[in-house]
Amino acid sequence: MRYDVVIIGGAIVGSSIAYYLRGEGFSGSIALVERDPQFAHAATTLSCASIRQQFSIPENIRLSQFTLKLFRRLTEEFGADADIGFREGGYLILAGENGLPILRANHEAQMAEGADIVLEDADALVRRFPWLSAEGITAGAYGRSGEGWFDAHAMLMLFRKALRGKNIDFITADVTGIERQGDRVTSVSLGNGERLEAGIVIDAAGPNAGQVADMAGLALPVEPRKRNVFVFEAREKYADMPLLVDPSGIYVRPEGSVYITGGAEPEEGDGPADPGDFEPDWPLFEEVIWPVLATRIPAFEAIKPTRAWAGHYDYNTLDQNAVIGPHPEVKNFLFANGFSGHGLQQAPAVGKALAELIVHGGYRTVDCTAFGYSRVAEGRAFRELNVI
Ligand SMILES: Cc1cc2nc3c(=O)[nH]c(=O)nc-3n(C[C@H](O)[C@H](O)[C@H](O)COP(=O)(O)OP(=O)(O)OC[C@H]3O[C@@H](n4cnc5c(N)ncnc54)[C@H](O)[C@@H]3O)c2cc1C
């Protein structure tokens, strides 16, 4: 079997690349190889499915803005019944005295990109959200529009459905090896013993991307990091509640009639997850999250945790930012990895960008040059400060 493009990983990033390749008029053959077609352990389906403009670097804001525009014209792109339940509830990122300079600098970067974010002091925030306690808070940045949450599974299915009839081979298999001859990758080996010859290989393997790159003899600082999400019920329903990020890093947001929360993993000791470990760490909720929630939103002193899940972040240990584009020497191996907690909202933009690169030889809509691999080779961090 020979394909012009072999994409490893068929969740949101891989599917988006395939979708936009056809959208840009690519007529070559495409194989989308996925080992877990139920996506039971994919970051995509285990994510918190939120989108924001509140990043520290303009390039990340632009990637999310591309997706936001897509969300606003979803039915035009995917048909009249396209719906991902997008709720534009906003983010509210809080800072104490120490965090204020960074919050302010981030806010300036966001305003320069045209984002609708207001920076307010503690009194104004409590007037806006009377359920909030401003204890230890100096200011907060609130997204009045352009931020919110949606149904990740519905978004993935939208892209997967849109691939049907577009002459793409869906292959259910584990990629176990990648063959290279000098500075070209030539084929991909599958667990079932088959081999796919490839003109271009794209790594869209999410948290497993570092291992896939390694199969081609390429170093990529991306590893799985376990992240827990807890669901709880509360008597009070705050319809105006945004996705709130406490200065401790703990976040909470409404999800229908319940709430979800997380962000309690300590930096110290944070390391690669056991690829088979998806067991939620309940003590994080009881010992770390609950006390913070009860302080920040006093009505949350009385809440009832109901369930939890754990997923793996596709964590870039160099700078918590995406690696996008070709390897500088092995030019037919392309990366779309390391999104470190914001890959779902960036996937449509990344798909479009890589499709343009392959079809037109350069980025046209969203310039992803800054995310290129050369910084990895040079050990030069391109750091995103707002990692949630
Ligand atoms: C708890 C949690 C909360 C998050 N919250 C958000 C959020 O609010 N907003 C946001 O934008 N992002 C969020 N993210 C991050 C986001 O989910 C990811 O960045 C994004 O889904 C990455 O998509 P992907 O397609 O690259 O990876 P994945 O969804 O993990 O897909 C990779 C696919 O590759 C397949 N694969 C891997 N190796 C192989 C192989 N060798 N052979 C064949 N197939 C293979 C896997 O089976 C998998 O289906 C969150 C992530 C987690 C874990």
Side-chain angles (χ1 to χ4, degrees), residues 44-83:
T44 298
T45 45
L46 296 173
S47 87
C48 291
S50 307
I51 179 168
R52 59 187 159 114
Q53 312 284 308
Q54 296 196 53
F55 289 97
S56 65
I57 57 172
E59 288 82 355
N60 274 331
I61 302 170
R62 289 174 204 150
L63 289 178
S64 283
Q65 284 179 340
F66 176 90
T67 300
L68 177 66
K69 280 190 203 135
L70 175 71
F71 283 5
R72 290 193 167 144
R73 41 177 286 281
L74 211 60
T75 51
E76 213 178 292
E77 182 83 24
F78 292 104
D81 59 348
D83 182 15

Side-chain angles (χ1 to χ4, degrees), residues 113-129:
E113 294 302 314
D116 183 18
I117 314 289
V118 286
L119 187 63
E120 292 185 332
D121 65 18
D123 289 345
L125 289 174
V126 174
R127 275 197 302 278
R128 189 186 281 277
F129 301 116

Side-chain angles (χ1 to χ4, degrees), residues 203-231:
D203 185 350
N208 197 33
Q211 218 177 28
V212 165
D214 189 53
M215 292 177 195
L218 304 173
L220 179 70
V222 174
E223 63 186 30
R225 291 272 175 106
K226 188 177 165 187
R227 293 293 180 267
N228 297 268
V229 184
F230 302 93
V231 184

Side-chain angles (χ1 to χ4, degrees), residues 7-15 33-37 39-52 55 64 91 148-150 152 156 171 173-177 190 203-209 211-212 215 225-229 243 251 253 309-314 336-347 388:
I7 303 171
I8 304 171
I12 196 62
V13 171
S15 297
V33 188
E34 172 54 56
R35 64 183 177 187
D36 168 24
F39 302 105
H41 291 135
T44 298
T45 45
L46 296 173
S47 87
C48 291
S50 307
I51 179 168
R52 59 187 159 114
F55 289 97
S64 283
Y91 272 59
W149 47 92
F150 52 94
L156 175 60
I171 297 175
D174 196 3
V175 170
T176 51
L190 308 180
D203 185 350
N208 197 33
Q211 218 177 28
V212 165
M215 292 177 195
R225 291 272 175 106
K226 188 177 165 187
R227 293 293 180 267
N228 297 268
V229 184
L243 190 156
Y251 64 83
R253 73 160 171 84
W309 75 86
H312 292 169
Y313 260 24
D314 37 349
N337 311 118
F339 300 98
S340 309
H342 40 268
L344 189 60
Q345 64 194 284
Q346 297 191 330
I388 298 170

Side-chain angles (χ1 to χ4, degrees), residues 155-207:
M155 178 181 171
L156 175 60
M157 288 309 125
L158 215 53
F159 274 90
R160 300 271 305 174
K161 209 170 123 198
L163 294 179
R164 284 191 214 141
K166 288 201 160 62
N167 194 22
I168 288 163
D169 278 5
F170 293 85
I171 297 175
T172 301
D174 196 3
V175 170
T176 51
I178 298 173
E179 293 71 41
R180 232 176 92 180
Q181 281 174 11
D183 60 2
R184 287 194 71 73
V185 282
T186 51
S187 63
V188 160
S189 301
L190 308 180
N192 58 14
E194 281 177 18
R195 214 160 66 117
L196 313 176
E197 284 180 32
I200 292 173
V201 172
I202 305 179
D203 185 350

